[in-house]
């Protein structure tokens, strides 16, 4: 058992940290305030090889490990969780679907440019009536000569407007229930495929999230990805890996909250002394540091298990659950330590709290994670 990061892992952490401080941190507050998605940041991330970090070199990626990717998501999210979310949605969900489910032609046509950072990828599972109940998909795919016609809608889709390709689920065989859901590749600009304006969100405001309307969208037969009737099963496998990156975002927010609280406690004076000298503040910060470490270890373990080709779904659910809730607790305590200053936008901790809340909802709510863990323990 070795808890030390390998030299190449540390190099990735340092490279991403330097990039995040230089290119992402400046303007993070303004992007949040204006709900502005900055595609130029992702072009630069693509040039660094980050948008295909865990993808094999033969498919346009950097050939890195999933652990290195989790580290990168953490470092990006430490300065801007919105950027971390769009990064994670592209790699874990969009690129992850192409890697896990795509055939050789689909990988060459779509995975290679996405991994190279030529465009973002998106993942369309959630619908207005199908959130936690992913099997409740209502979008339909009707077989026609040479392909399929899709009709329906998707909601809360990250990167929906800018994505060059979106993987969407639709019901092809309604009599088969959840076994009748199939996944399709829909390139940007396809007739009838219309992303809406981005949502006005509470948090993650600089991440692009929108609805998608599909009205008589024709896709050819070779757009089916993962096999007919295998859409839900395939997407659940993609989500197992996606939870690692959501956990990594949580670690990044929790670490940023700890950094801010520690810095403020060492600067702020009350009753003639630094507030960090008071036991009440010390205990809060000690608890935050402990939970950051615990969250990081769970997320890193899940990523390591994936790299070792070992079962990782149970640990990824634990990591996502604990890290997202730890991020909420850390951000809340950081605001408390800042007092009134933490409640205004001059300080970043109020943004950390707003951003962290999404992590308890997206890619499986905290309740769904507990259900996944319980079922993994044999409870039905």
């Amino acid at each position: 058992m070795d808890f030390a990061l390998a030299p190449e892992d540390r190099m990735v952490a340092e490279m991403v940290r330097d990039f995040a401080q230089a290119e992402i941190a400046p303007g993070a507050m303004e992007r949040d305030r204006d709900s502005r998605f900055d595609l130029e940041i992702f072009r630069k991330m693509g040039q660094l090889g980050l948008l295909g970090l865990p993808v094999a070199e033969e498919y346009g990626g950097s050939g890195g490990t999933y652990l290195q990717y989790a580290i990168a998501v953490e470092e990006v999210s430490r300065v801007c969780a919105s950027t971390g979310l769009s990064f994670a949605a592209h790699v874990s969900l969009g690129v992850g679907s192409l890697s896990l489910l795509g055939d050789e032609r689909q990988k060459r046509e779509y995975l290679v440019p996405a991994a190279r950072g030529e465009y973002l990828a998106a993942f369309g599972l959630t619908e207005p009536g199908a959130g936690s109940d992913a099997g409740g998909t209502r979008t339909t795919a009707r077989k026609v000569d040479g392909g399929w016609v899709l009709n329906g809608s998707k909601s809360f889709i990250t990167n929906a407007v800018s994505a060059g390709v979106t993987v969407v689920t639709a019901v092809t065989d309604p009599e088969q229930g959840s076994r009748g859901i199939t996944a399709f590749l829909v390139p940007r600009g396809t007739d009838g495929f219309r992303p809406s304006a981005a949502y006005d969100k509470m948090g993650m405001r600089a991440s692009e999230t929108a609805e998608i309307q599909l009205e008589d969208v024709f896709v050819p037969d070779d757009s089916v990805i993962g096999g007919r009737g295998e859409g839900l099963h395939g997407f659940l496998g993609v989500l197992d890996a996606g939870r690692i990156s959501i956990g990594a975002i949580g670690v990044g927010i929790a670490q940023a909250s700890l950094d801010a609280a520690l810095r403020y406690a060492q600067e702020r004076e009350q009753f003639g002394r630094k507030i960090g000298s008071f036991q009440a503040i010390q205990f809060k910060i000690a608890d935050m540091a402990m939970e950051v470490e615990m969250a990081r270890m769970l997320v890193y373990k899940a990523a390591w298990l994936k790299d070792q080709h070992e079962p990782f779904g149970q640990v990824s659910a634990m990591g996502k659950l604990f890290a997202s809730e730890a991020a909420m607790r850390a951000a809340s305590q950081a605001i408390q330590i800042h007092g009134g200053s933490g409640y205004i936008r001059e300080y970043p901790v109020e943004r950390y709290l707003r951003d962290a809340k999404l992590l308890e909802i997206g890619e499986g709510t905290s309740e769904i994670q507990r259900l996944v863990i319980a079922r993994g323990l044999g409870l039905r």
Side-chain angles (χ1 to χ4, degrees):
M1 183 176 291
D2 186 355
F3 287 99
L5 292 177
E8 54 268 31
D9 300 334
R10 292 195 297 271
M11 287 177 60
V12 169
E14 291 168 5
M15 181 267 288
V16 178
R17 186 178 303 131
D18 290 344
F19 173 81
Q21 289 293 337
E23 301 289 345
I24 302 176
M29 190 174 294
E30 289 75 16
R31 292 193 302 272
D32 171 78
R33 180 193 63 209
D34 300 335
S35 295
R36 180 168 58 86
F37 178 68
D38 191 344
L39 195 56
E40 181 60 27
I41 288 175
F42 289 89
R43 292 194 180 98
K44 293 178 180 178
M45 292 173 70
Q47 292 167 2
L48 284 177
L50 296 180
L51 298 189
L53 182 54
V55 178
E57 293 181 5
E58 65 177 306
Y59 294 116
S62 299
T65 65
Y66 218 79
L67 174 59
Q68 291 169 356
Y69 163 62
I71 292 169
V73 172
E74 176 188 336
E75 291 295 340
V76 169
S77 302
R78 190 172 176 179
V79 300
C80 178
S82 291
T83 304
L85 179 65
S86 291
F87 177 30
H90 166 77
V91 177
S92 293
L93 302 184
V95 167
S97 297
L98 294 166
S99 297
L100 182 66
L101 308 176
D103 59 29
E104 189 64 22
R105 183 199 65 81
Q106 291 167 338
K107 289 179 179 178
R108 294 294 172 189
E109 184 172 349
Y110 296 106
L111 176 58
V112 170
R116 287 176 176 167
E118 295 175 17
Y119 54 64
L120 293 176
F123 174 89
L125 175 62
T126 303
E127 298 184 1
S132 295
D133 178 17
T137 297
R138 294 292 178 265
T139 297
T140 62
R142 176 172 54 86
K143 189 71 180 75
V144 297
D145 289 343
W148 299 82
V149 175
L150 310 182
N151 281 281
S153 62
K154 299 294 178 178
S155 56
F156 305 117
I157 308 304
T158 306
N159 302 335
V161 178
S162 298
V165 64
T166 303
V167 187
V168 300
T169 50
V171 177
T172 51
D173 303 280
E175 70 282 358
Q176 298 294 322
S178 63
R179 296 290 299 179
I181 298 174
T182 302
F184 297 87
L185 292 169
V186 184
R188 183 180 184 182
T190 301
D191 289 345
F193 182 84
R194 298 193 307 275
S196 69
Y199 293 106
D200 185 9
K201 298 172 292 183
M202 167 183 156
M204 300 291 190
R205 291 173 58 81
S207 176
E208 182 183 86
T209 312
E211 291 187 358
I212 296 173
Q213 300 297 323
L214 301 103
E215 184 175 349
D216 293 332
V217 175
F218 173 80
V219 292
D221 284 323
D222 60 7
S223 294
V224 172
I225 180 170
R228 181 170 176 171
E230 296 297 323
L232 182 61
H233 175 75
F235 267 26
L236 292 178
V238 171
L239 286 172
D240 279 343
R243 287 168 182 151
I244 297 174
S245 60
I246 297 298
I249 297 172
V251 175
I253 294 175
Q255 183 65 63
S257 300
L258 173 60
D259 294 341
L262 185 59
R263 184 168 54 249
Y264 192 79
Q266 293 170 330
E267 296 171 352
R268 173 70 166 167
E269 290 189 6
Q270 289 287 274
F271 306 104
R273 50 198 270 207
K274 306 293 187 189
I275 64 171
S277 69
F278 294 108
Q279 190 179 71
I281 302 299
Q282 292 174 352
F283 281 11
K284 289 180 185 295
I285 291 177
D287 285 346
M288 291 166 68
M290 176 182 65
E291 292 206 347
V292 168
E293 189 70 12
M294 292 164 66
R296 182 176 288 120
M297 289 300 99
L298 266 175
V299 171
Y300 283 15
K301 181 180 180 181
W304 178 84
L305 285 170
K306 186 178 188 316
D307 286 330
Q308 302 306 310
H309 306 289
E310 296 284 348
F312 65 92
Q314 181 84 336
V315 180
S316 71
M318 290 179 177
K320 192 269 187 188
L321 172 62
F322 187 83
S324 59
E325 295 190 348
M328 277 294 291
R329 289 190 291 267
S332 180
Q333 291 289 34
I335 292 173
Q336 192 72 17
I337 290 168
H338 280 68
S341 296
Y343 203 67
I344 61 176
R345 292 195 172 184
E346 181 181 348
Y347 291 84
V349 289
E350 62 85 28
R351 170 164 55 94
Y352 299 158
L353 185 67
R354 289 187 287 105
D355 288 347
K357 186 58 195 174
L358 177 69
L359 306 182
E360 296 184 321
I361 300 171
E363 290 196 39
T365 64
S366 291
E367 292 74 22
I368 290 294
Q369 302 314 308
R370 288 181 166 88
L371 184 61
V372 169
I373 295 165
R375 287 183 173 177
L377 295 171
L379 299 174
R380 298 286 175 177

